[in-house]
Amino acid sequence: MSTQVTLIPGDGIGPSITDATVRVLDAAGVQLAWDRQLAGGAAVRAVEDPVPDATLESIKRTRVALKGPLETPVGEGYRSINVALRQTFDLYANVRPVMTIIPGGRYADVDIVLVRENTEGLYIGIEHYVRIGDDPRAVAESLAVITRFGSERIIRYAFEYALARGRKKVTLAHKANILKASGGLFLDVGREIAREYDGRIAFEDVIIDALAMKLVLNPERYDVIVTTNLFGDILSDLLAGLVGGLGLAPGANIGTSAAMFEAVHGTAPDIAGKGVANPSAVMLAACLMLEHLGDDERARRVRDALTATIREGRTLTRDLGGTASTDQFTDAVIARLRA
Ligand code: NAD
C-alpha cells in the first residue's frame, strides 16, 4: 500500500509549484497517495477558515504534509495558520538545510543544516508593558523561556539527524556568557548530550555573535548547527544569504505527532498565475520529506536531477536569470531523471 501524504497546494504560485513537484516525484517512481487539503486564502474562500478541521484531521491521520506557501488572511476572527499547526502537532524542530547549488557564487562549498528550536525562547509570547507615571509603555518586558525538556529534545534531534545523515559535527550556538540562566541551561544540556555521542559526532559550542562572523568567513567549516528560537530565526536567513537567497531554500517542521515540509518563500503574488515560478524550493522540500519517510535513494535522485538542471544553466526560470516557464523547467528535471 502506498504511503498517504497530505498535500496542501496553498495560494498564489503554490498550486503550480506543488503540481510540478508531484510530477517530478511521479517521474522518480515515488509511490505516494496524496490527500489534497485546503489551507490559507483558498480555505478562507471555500469554508471561511484558514486552517479547516478537515486539513488538521488529514495531517493527524497521515502524519506527513507537503505544503505550498499560504496567504496569511488579515482580519479579526481568523486563527493564525502557523500557530494552529505548530500547537496541534507540537512542531518543535525547524530544520533548514542550505547548500551551494548555483556555481560562481561567493562560496563554493556550503552544506549546512540548521536545527532551530521552534516552541520556546523569546518567541513564547510572554510579554507585557509596565506603566510608569502616565506612560503606559514606559517599560517593555519579554520573557525567554528555556526548559530542560525543550533543550534536550531539540539537541538530541540535531545529534540523531547528524548520525542518520552521516554528518560529522554539531555546533551549538548560544549566548551563555551573558544570558547565564537561559543560555547557560541550553549549553549545559548540549554538553551533557554531546557526551553520549562522543566518538561518533564531534561537538563544539560557539557564542552566537562569533558564529555569525565565522559563518561569513568560513561557512564550509560548519555541518549541523543547533540553536534556540530567536538565534535560529536570524541564522537561517544569514545561511540562506550564503548560498544566494531564499529562492532555493526548503524547510521542515518536525513535531512529535507530524512533520510538515515546505518552501521557505511565500506565495509570490506578483507572478502568481503567470506560469513562471521556480518550483525548486518545494521540490527540495519534497526531498526532505522523502528522507523523513526513509526513501533516501529517491530523495538523492530528485535532488541530483534538480541541481544538475540548475548547474547546467540552459533551462532556468526567470528568478535565476533564465526564460523557462515552470513547466519547461519541470520537464527538464524530469528528462534528467529519466536519462
Ligand atoms: P514572497 O516570498 O512570496 O515573494 C518575495 C519575492 O520573491 C517576490 O518578488 C516573488 O515573486 C519572488 N519569489 C518568491 N518565490 C518565488 C519562486 N518560487 N519563484 C520565483 N520567484 C519567487 O514574499 P512576500 O511577497 O513577502 O509574501 C507574499 C505572501 O506570502 C504573503 O501573504 C505572506 O504572508 C506569504 N508567505 C507565506 C509563507 C509560507 O506559507 N511559508 C512564507 C512567507 C510568506
Side-chain angles (χ1 to χ4, degrees), residues 79-293:
R79 49 183 168 171
S80 151
I81 300 168
N82 287 336
V83 171
L85 292 171
R86 196 182 318 127
Q87 287 178 348
T88 308
F89 302 107
D90 192 19
L91 302 171
Y92 66 91
N94 183 244
V95 183
R96 291 245 201 122
V98 292
M99 62 175 183
T100 310
I101 293 185
I102 304 167
R106 208 165 289 168
Y107 306 100
D109 214 7
V110 177
D111 183 5
I112 299 173
V113 179
L114 177 73
V115 178
R116 164 188 169 192
E117 205 293 322
N118 219 13
T119 61
E120 305 192 331
L122 267 172
Y123 287 12
I124 199 153
I126 304 179
E127 297 191 293
H128 58 253
Y129 294 108
V130 178
R131 171 187 285 275
I132 297 180
D134 50 9
D135 183 355
R137 298 168 71 213
V139 181
E141 294 179 340
S142 305
L143 206 61
V145 177
I146 300 289
T147 67
R148 182 179 297 282
F149 169 80
S151 304
E152 273 177 9
R153 74 173 173 177
I154 195 70
I155 295 166
R156 197 173 294 286
Y157 181 88
F159 274 96
E160 287 297 320
Y161 184 99
L163 262 190
R165 308 267 173 265
R167 288 180 174 266
K168 305 278 178 263
K169 181 172 76 170
V170 170
T171 301
L172 181 147
H174 64 90
K175 190 73 185 173
N177 51 331
I178 304 294
L179 304 172
K180 295 199 188 292
S182 56
L185 177 59
F186 192 74
L187 176 58
D188 285 350
V189 170
R191 287 178 173 157
E192 277 164 32
I193 291 179
R195 271 190 231 110
E196 294 174 32
Y197 295 85
D198 202 17
R200 295 183 291 164
I201 302 288
F203 175 75
E204 65 180 357
D205 67 82
V206 186
I207 292 173
I208 184 70
D209 38 326
L211 180 61
M213 181 188 70
K214 290 176 178 183
L215 278 169
V216 173
L217 291 176
N218 297 111
E220 60 287 337
R221 283 197 52 234
Y222 295 92
D223 193 349
V224 175
I225 299 174
V226 64
T227 191
T228 47
N229 211 337
L230 172 65
F231 295 155
D233 194 5
I234 298 168
L235 274 191
S236 60
D237 278 28
L238 184 154
L239 290 171
L242 296 179
V243 297
L246 292 174
L248 298 172
N253 295 288
I254 309 291
T256 39
S257 53
M260 241 175 32
F261 301 84
E262 63 184 338
V264 170
H265 63 69
T267 60
D270 50 334
I271 56 167
K274 296 186 178 158
V276 297
N278 182 355
S280 299
V282 184
M283 290 178 184
L284 290 169
C287 293
L288 299 179
M289 182 186 78
L290 292 179
E291 286 167 351
H292 178 80
L293 293 171

Side-chain angles (χ1 to χ4, degrees), residues 4 6 58-65 256-260 292:
Q4 288 237 338
T6 303
S58 170
I59 303 172
K60 272 183 199 156
R61 197 162 36 78
T62 63
R63 299 169 69 93
V64 185
T256 39
S257 53
M260 241 175 32
H292 178 80

